[in-house]
């Protein structure tokens, strides 16, 4: 999905920095985007986003190269296959998860997104505009059995998206969620999985919504979630966005909260 979103943004004329913890993957990204954009429009950085100093280093490198940051897309993630390779045929129950595997998933999927947002947001606020897009997951994945800790890590990021949007009210910086909308044809689904991969959600569904979400057209929309598979590309982007916009973290249930908002 990261490759698809990068290509879409480059095609729109954006300058993009891609971050991964493995050099071979960022180099593969660079090769896949060759000829798509002007020379220098893409930079690749190898970093561990679970470390605060690494996130600061990435932010500084982007500012030095491009002079500004306009959007952060938190798409880094690791899945249940890192907990148990054959998790689909042999489900792993929560008490069977090794603590170091639990921590690794939480660190990449949740802590990493927080640390990157923490590093980038002051620059967005200072310039009075910016976009943060967090890739989470479908609601049923968040509470599905045998999905510890992947579902929980994405639930935390979903809740954070709604909270951060409130923290950033009146700053010109927005926070929204983008999800593909179901099991997606990526490396998260093992080759041995009993699926017809052509019938899975294809990562290309992320292209159109991410283009809109990082653009000026989305400047008044924050605290929302968008499902790529529901995005109707036959509509004008603003119309397609309006049709699928929902509250992030299901805030429409907030009336059930016992704790009142602070004044």
């Amino acid at each position: 999905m990261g490759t698809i979103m990068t290509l879409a943004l480059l095609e729109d004329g954006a300058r993009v920095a891609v971050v991964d913890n493995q050099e071979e993957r960022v180099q593969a990204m660079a090769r896949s985007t060759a000829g798509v954009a002007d020379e220098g429009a893409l930079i690749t950085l190898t970093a561990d986003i679970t470390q605060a100093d690494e996130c600061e280093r990435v932010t500084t490198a982007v500012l030095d190269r491009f002079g500004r940051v306009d959007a952060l897309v938190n798409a880094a993630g690791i899945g249940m296959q890192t907990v148990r390779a054959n998790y689909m045929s042999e489900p792993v129950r929560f008490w069977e998860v090794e603590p170091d595997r639990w921590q690794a998933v939480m660190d990449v999927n949740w802590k990493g997104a927080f640390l990157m947002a923490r590093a980038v947001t002051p620059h967005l606020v200072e310039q009075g505009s910016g976009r943060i897009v967090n890739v989470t997951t479908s609601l049923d994945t968040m509470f599905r059995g045998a999905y510890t800790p992947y579902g929980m890590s994405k639930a935390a990021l979903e809740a954070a998206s709604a909270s951060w949007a409130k923290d950033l009210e009146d700053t010109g910086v927005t926070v929204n969620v983008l999800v593909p909308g179901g099991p997606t044809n990526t490396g998260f689904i093992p080759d041995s999985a009993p699926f017809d991969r052509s019938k899975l959600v294809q990562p290309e569904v992320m292209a159109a919504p991410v283009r809109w979400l990082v653009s000026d057209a989305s400047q008044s929309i924050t605290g929302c979630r968008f499902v790529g598979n529901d995005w109707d590309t036959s509509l004008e982007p603003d119309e397609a966005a309006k049709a699928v916009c929902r509250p992030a973290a299901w805030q429409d249930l907030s009336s059930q909260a016992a704790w009142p908002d602070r004044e």
Side-chain angles (χ1 to χ4, degrees):
M1 291 193 297
T3 299
I4 293 297
M5 290 188 285
T6 298
L7 287 167
L9 296 176
L10 288 171
E11 288 169 356
D12 273 6
R15 296 177 294 177
V16 181
V18 173
V19 184
D20 199 292
N21 68 338
Q22 295 186 27
E23 177 67 19
E24 61 268 26
R25 285 208 293 248
V26 294
Q27 291 306 319
M29 173 73 78
R31 290 191 296 272
S32 70
T33 61
V36 174
D38 294 339
E39 185 176 353
L42 175 74
I43 60 172
T44 57
L45 300 166
T46 304
D48 179 359
I49 63 165
T50 70
Q51 303 300 314
D53 59 341
E54 289 281 276
C55 295
E56 295 289 350
R57 178 176 66 81
V58 165
T59 304
T60 298
V62 174
L63 289 169
D64 288 346
R65 178 65 173 271
F66 295 148
R68 60 185 287 131
V69 177
D70 292 299
L72 167 67
V73 179
N74 278 315
I78 57 177
M80 286 301 298
Q81 74 276 20
T82 67
V83 176
R84 178 178 289 169
N86 63 338
Y87 75 97
M88 286 194 166
S89 59
E90 188 180 342
V92 53
R93 295 165 293 185
F94 76 86
W95 64 89
E96 298 171 335
V97 178
E98 293 295 332
D100 63 331
R101 291 293 82 211
W102 184 95
Q103 192 66 61
V105 174
M106 294 299 289
D107 281 353
V108 174
N109 294 2
W110 161 224
K111 179 184 175 184
F114 159 69
L115 290 177
M116 280 304 306
R118 176 180 177 271
V120 169
T121 297
H123 302 282
L124 303 180
V125 171
E126 183 179 1
Q127 68 195 20
S129 66
R131 308 282 178 266
I132 297 174
V133 180
N134 292 324
V135 178
T136 68
T137 193
S138 301
L139 173 62
D140 56 348
T141 302
M142 295 178 184
F143 55 72
R144 177 179 290 136
Y147 259 67
T148 295
Y150 178 77
M152 291 92 255
S153 69
K154 291 298 189 176
L157 183 55
E158 179 91 21
S161 302
S163 175
W164 298 350
K166 293 179 174 64
D167 287 348
L168 288 164
E169 285 178 354
D170 302 320
T171 66
V173 182
T174 65
V175 185
N176 291 291
V177 167
L178 175 59
V179 299
T184 307
N185 188 17
T186 70
F188 274 35
I189 304 294
D191 290 337
S192 59
F195 294 125
D196 178 349
R197 300 190 82 92
S198 68
K199 295 182 180 178
L200 296 174
V201 176
Q202 299 304 312
E204 285 77 9
V205 302
M206 303 291 276
V210 81
R211 282 179 166 131
W212 185 84
L213 282 166
V214 304
S215 73
D216 290 342
S218 68
Q219 63 186 355
S220 64
I221 304 300
T222 192
C224 295
R225 77 176 348 246
F226 297 84
V227 178
N229 201 37
D230 293 340
W231 188 280
D232 187 348
T233 56
S234 70
L235 299 176
E236 290 297 318
D238 285 355
E239 294 178 18
K242 183 177 180 180
V244 298
C245 182
R246 299 292 183 272
W250 299 273
Q251 295 171 78
D252 50 332
L253 302 178
S254 62
S255 61
Q256 299 175 16
W259 190 293
D261 289 338
R262 293 179 297 174
E263 295 183 357

